Amino acid sequence: MLKTIAGHTSARGICRYLTRKNRALASDYINIDVPDPMHPDAAFDWARVMDSTRRAFGNDLPWRGKRVRTYKHYVVSPDPKDGIGLEALRELATTWAAEHFSEYEVAIVYHNDNARGIPHAHVVVNNTNIETGRRLQDPDPKALAASLQDIAERQGLSALRAPELACVAARAQRRNPKRHPETYRSEYVRRVEKELTERGEYSWTADIRARVRIARTVARSEAEFRSVLSSMGVTVTDNSPKAQRRDWIYALADHPTRRISGERMGLAYGRERLEPLLRSGGIRRLEDAGERAIAGYGCDVYGISALATVSGDGSPGFHDDVGLEVAFRREANRIDAGGLASEHAVRRHLVRARLEEEPRSAPEPGFFVRDDRDRHAPRELVR
């Protein structure tokens, strides 16, 4: 079994816990110099080394008002039926840790202080990549657990596997072997993104989501979808051919590390939902060049990511789920003399200002511009 625990304090606490009362059977280290190489199991203050590294790279400070995650603590517990010895456990734990955390400071401490005296390993990983100085990004727990099972099998140990499907479920799995999506929701907003948006702070996931929503609304083909996103600063690439589900990876062009797969934002943003839709000509909610021009104005006025051109009921308008609320507040302060009382009013003001800068022409047939004074229904265009 693999148990994962996040640490938010100095590593001194976990170091004292693992080494107190001389209960540590042995210890191994990755990227930490042991003072006495002849006695690598001798206790020494590896917590001081980890704390010093974090301070040197500035990775012990809170991030966006949240507590910093200073280290990850993994507990590797072999199957009691294996009767594993200490040396076999050390080989298992060090192989697994080196495979996933070769660029981090790692301390591995071994205990057998449970009820049945079964050896197990505590793997403590510092939060700083010593090659790049960047913070540790939370690895996928399922992938880490699966990797541990593979290594255990290679060493002749028991591995924990999901039970084999039988009868109807097995036949269904053979007919459709691809993995289920992470969520079945069309729109899936994760907790972190929701909290940032509620606090009025920038969320790059919400930023990408808003840009994809605009492109998905105006594009009539996959090529046009990619082109619109490219003009808005979002790159679109295919995910790994080894992945069990085909999907697109969206990333901010000026911050390539800020990337997310479509289905992690909801099925409506994934490749398997969008590809056939774009192949058939798109959503077809913006059939008119005038509306497409308004979408362009929106992209320009709101710095691309703050406008969605389709409201919840499917008609052209503004959407409330946006990523750059701070930009709206800044813009509201700039034009505060106008007495604008809401973000919707700011949006309407900005679009009107943009339209007034352009040469006026007759409205497109079938459309008119409405000055909606109701801030709860801020649509500018209605059919």
Side-chain angles (χ1 to χ4, degrees):
M1 297 289 293
L2 179 68
K3 181 179 181 180
T4 304
I5 306 166
H8 299 278
T9 61
S10 165
R12 291 194 301 270
I14 186 64
C15 181
R16 284 196 300 267
Y17 168 76
L18 296 178
T19 58
R20 68 183 179 182
K21 298 181 180 179
N22 296 321
R23 59 183 182 146
L25 302 178
S27 57
D28 289 307
Y29 305 96
I30 298 175
N31 297 319
I32 297 178
D33 293 330
V34 181
D36 187 358
M38 299 301 296
H39 298 86
D41 296 341
F44 80 101
D45 193 2
W46 48 264
R48 181 183 57 80
V49 178
M50 290 188 176
D51 291 346
S52 175
T53 300
R54 285 197 312 276
R55 283 194 300 271
F57 286 96
N59 290 339
D60 57 353
L61 302 175
W63 178 252
R64 296 190 181 278
K66 291 184 176 294
R67 287 192 307 164
V68 61
R69 184 183 61 202
T70 50
Y71 61 85
K72 295 288 287 189
H73 176 195
Y74 300 95
V75 183
V76 178
S77 302
D79 190 333
K81 297 178 182 178
D82 287 333
I84 191 171
L86 177 60
E87 292 307 314
L89 176 60
R90 294 180 76 166
E91 182 182 0
L92 172 66
T94 54
T95 302
W96 176 80
E99 181 175 310
H100 296 282
F101 306 107
S102 61
E103 296 179 350
Y104 296 84
E105 293 173 333
V106 182
I108 309 174
V109 182
Y110 305 92
H111 288 168
N112 64 349
D113 55 353
N114 46 36
R116 299 173 60 181
I118 301 168
H120 53 279
H122 295 265
V123 182
V124 181
V125 183
N126 201 14
N127 81 339
T128 300
N129 186 312
I130 60 175
E131 298 292 335
T132 65
R134 302 188 63 180
R135 302 190 190 205
L136 172 67
Q137 299 301 308
D138 215 2
D140 181 4
K142 293 182 179 179
L144 293 177
S147 169
L148 182 62
Q149 308 306 325
D150 293 338
I151 296 172
E153 279 189 325
R154 291 200 300 267
Q155 295 183 5
L157 302 172
S158 300
L160 182 63
R161 300 294 185 186
E164 294 287 340
L165 297 175
C167 302
V168 176
R171 291 196 296 271
Q173 179 70 14
R174 286 194 296 270
R175 287 195 301 268
N176 187 20
K178 62 184 180 182
R179 183 174 61 87
H180 296 296
E182 294 189 25
T183 176
Y184 286 96
R185 301 179 190 176
S186 293
E187 185 96 7
Y188 181 50
V189 180
R190 296 177 180 274
R191 179 176 57 83
V192 174
E193 178 186 346
K194 183 178 179 181
E195 290 177 353
L196 288 173
T197 304
E198 288 175 349
R199 294 200 303 266
E201 298 180 11
Y202 175 73
S203 165
W204 62 266
T205 304
D207 193 354
I208 292 177
R209 183 194 303 277
R211 302 188 199 200
V212 175
R213 189 186 293 119
I214 294 173
R216 155 186 98 181
T217 302
V218 302
R220 294 184 173 89
S221 66
E222 181 180 333
E224 187 174 354
F225 176 73
R226 291 175 178 267
S227 176
V228 171
L229 280 176
S230 177
S231 67
M232 293 193 294
V234 175
T235 62
V236 185
T237 57
D238 297 341
N239 63 346
S240 170
K242 296 181 180 179
Q244 292 179 303
R245 288 185 63 84
R246 298 166 61 249
D247 202 359
W248 284 325
I249 304 296
Y250 304 106
L252 296 176
D254 51 352
H255 293 284
T257 57
R258 294 178 176 178
R259 56 202 302 269
I260 187 171
S261 64
E263 290 189 350
R264 287 178 66 86
M265 298 188 293
L267 290 181
Y269 300 86
R271 177 177 180 175
E272 294 199 2
R273 176 75 63 85
L274 286 177
E275 200 171 43
L277 182 67
L278 295 170
R279 194 182 301 121
S280 63
I283 295 178
R284 298 182 182 277
R285 286 177 178 160
L286 298 180
E287 295 289 350
D288 188 85
E291 291 186 81
R292 293 166 65 80
I294 292 296
Y297 294 148
C299 294
D300 185 40
V301 169
Y302 296 129
I304 300 164
S305 59
L307 174 68
T309 56
V310 175
S311 64
D313 59 3
S315 58
F318 295 96
H319 197 84
D320 293 322
D321 182 17
V322 298
L324 293 179
E325 301 301 328
V326 173
F328 284 126
R329 292 195 181 94
R330 185 167 58 248
E331 191 63 26
N333 292 334
R334 189 180 68 81
I335 57 178
D336 188 55
L340 301 174
S342 70
E343 290 179 356
H344 290 316
V346 175
R347 297 175 191 179
R348 291 199 299 274
H349 176 89
L350 291 175
V351 170
R352 287 194 203 97
R354 174 68 182 185
L355 292 175
E356 288 172 0
E357 293 175 2
E358 300 295 326
R360 293 186 177 275
S361 59
E364 295 290 335
F367 292 88
F368 66 90
V369 177
R370 180 179 69 186
D371 183 6
D372 194 340
R373 302 296 179 182
D374 181 7
R375 68 186 182 90
H376 297 293
R379 295 195 182 90
E380 298 296 313
L381 290 175
V382 293
R383 188 179 293 277

